Amino acid sequence: MRFLSPLVMYGYCASILMDPLAAQACSCREFTKEEAYQDADVVFLGTVEQFEANKHPSVWNFTGRTAQFRVEKVWKGTVKPLLKVRTGFGGGDCGYDFEVGKPYLVFAQGSKPPYYTGMCSGTAPAEHGGRELENLGNRRGDD
């Protein structure tokens, strides 16, 4: 067993060096949806039409993947019916793992498209955001 232990440790260290983000976990502070709304530049309900890795991803600015949404309702900001939102790869960079065909309540940041969102922004599948959608319903989206 002594021979196996250094070999396992070597493999673990090598995996960290090869992909440092995989060895980290995303850590978000606790916040309410109201705080997420205040922090976001755009808030909308949309369905993911495409989700793919960027051609020239950067691990350092956490924008490795892009989701294209068909926007159904907007509560904050001005967005077009088709909107691209960037996110990280997941894990240590807190990127959101969207699924094509699913609707999401998206809280995103940025001064112009493509906006950015992640696991710590408040973004969630629409079915999990039902109560939040009701609370947001009294805002601009119902006008």
Side-chain angles (χ1 to χ4, degrees), residues 1-6:
M1 285 300 230
R2 286 185 176 197
F3 178 74
L4 184 59
S5 182

Side-chain angles (χ1 to χ4, degrees), residues 1 17 26 33-34 37 40 47 50 76 83 111 115 121 129 131 133 143:
M1 285 300 230
L17 292 173
C26 179
K33 288 295 183 185
E34 181 62 33
Y37 182 87
T47 299
Q50 294 178 341
K76 186 175 182 181
L83 180 68
S111 58
Y115 297 104
S121 69
R131 190 163 158 209
L133 289 170
D143 294 341

Side-chain angles (χ1 to χ4, degrees), residues 41-51 65-87 98 104-117 123 140:
D41 295 303
V42 296
V43 179
F44 66 91
L45 174 67
T47 299
V48 178
E49 292 193 335
Q50 294 178 341
F51 187 49
R65 299 181 292 175
T66 298
Q68 180 172 292
F69 288 89
R70 177 156 307 278
V71 177
E72 298 163 30
K73 192 168 188 177
V74 179
W75 285 275
K76 186 175 182 181
T78 303
V79 299
K80 295 181 178 183
L82 286 178
L83 180 68
K84 290 187 177 184
V85 177
R86 290 187 174 182
T87 193
F98 292 106
Y104 291 86
L105 175 59
V106 179
F107 295 81
Q109 291 78 32
S111 58
K112 63 181 182 177
Y115 297 104
Y116 173 82
T117 194
T123 295
R140 191 183 79 190

Side-chain angles (χ1 to χ4, degrees), residues 13 22 26 39 46 56 74 78 81 85 96 98 108 119 122 126 135 138 143:
C13 290
C26 179
D39 289 346
H56 303 288
V74 179
T78 303
V85 177
Y96 201 95
F98 292 106
M119 293 167 52
N135 293 337
N138 297 326
D143 294 341

Side-chain angles (χ1 to χ4, degrees), residues 124-140:
E127 69 263 17
H128 297 286
R131 190 163 158 209
E132 288 79 13
L133 289 170
E134 289 175 20
N135 293 337
L136 291 174
N138 297 326
R139 299 181 189 247
R140 191 183 79 190

